[in-house]
Amino acid sequence: MKAIIALGKIITLIFWVAVIASLFEVFSETASAMLGWAGAAVLIVHFIEVALFTKRFGDKLIEPKFDKLMVLVFGIFHVLPFLVNQLKEEANASSR
């Protein structure tokens, strides 16, 4: 699971680097426009994820600003460990 999350974070980081590079017209005009729109769409989705993440895990966060920033950048790949831990806790609580 950790390898999948790490791979997802790497791919997401490459995507964001490409979006930022497109701002400097490194790619063709069409590719830059597509990356810009895709980046805007993903950023909106990540803002929604930050809101949902904060609502669900806000009281359990040690570094809330850092975690919110990481969700904004990596999205679900930063949230997955929190979800897995919560599922394990719920399974342990129900088995008692």
Side-chain angles (χ1 to χ4, degrees):
M1 184 72 160
K2 289 182 181 181
I4 293 171
I5 292 171
L7 180 63
K9 284 184 174 185
I10 290 168
I11 292 170
T12 305
L13 190 60
I14 292 169
F15 169 76
W16 286 120
V17 168
V19 169
I20 291 170
S22 74
L23 296 174
F24 298 104
E25 299 180 11
V26 174
F27 306 109
S28 68
E29 185 176 329
T30 306
S32 291
M34 287 176 32
L35 277 170
W37 284 108
V42 170
L43 189 62
I44 289 169
V45 170
H46 284 195
F47 271 117
I48 294 168
E49 286 176 341
V50 167
L52 294 173
F53 175 75
T54 302
K55 184 176 181 180
R56 186 162 187 180
F57 299 107
D59 56 339
K60 298 178 183 178
L61 299 178
I62 296 170
E63 292 288 333
K65 290 180 182 179
F66 174 76
D67 285 324
K68 290 175 186 178
L69 177 64
M70 291 297 104
V71 172
L72 193 60
V73 173
F74 297 115
I76 192 69
F77 297 112
H78 188 73
V79 176
L80 280 175
F82 289 93
L83 292 173
V84 169
N85 288 339
Q86 184 178 27
L87 289 174
K88 285 180 183 177
E89 288 174 4
E90 289 174 0
N92 289 339
S94 67
S95 67
R96 291 180 187 181

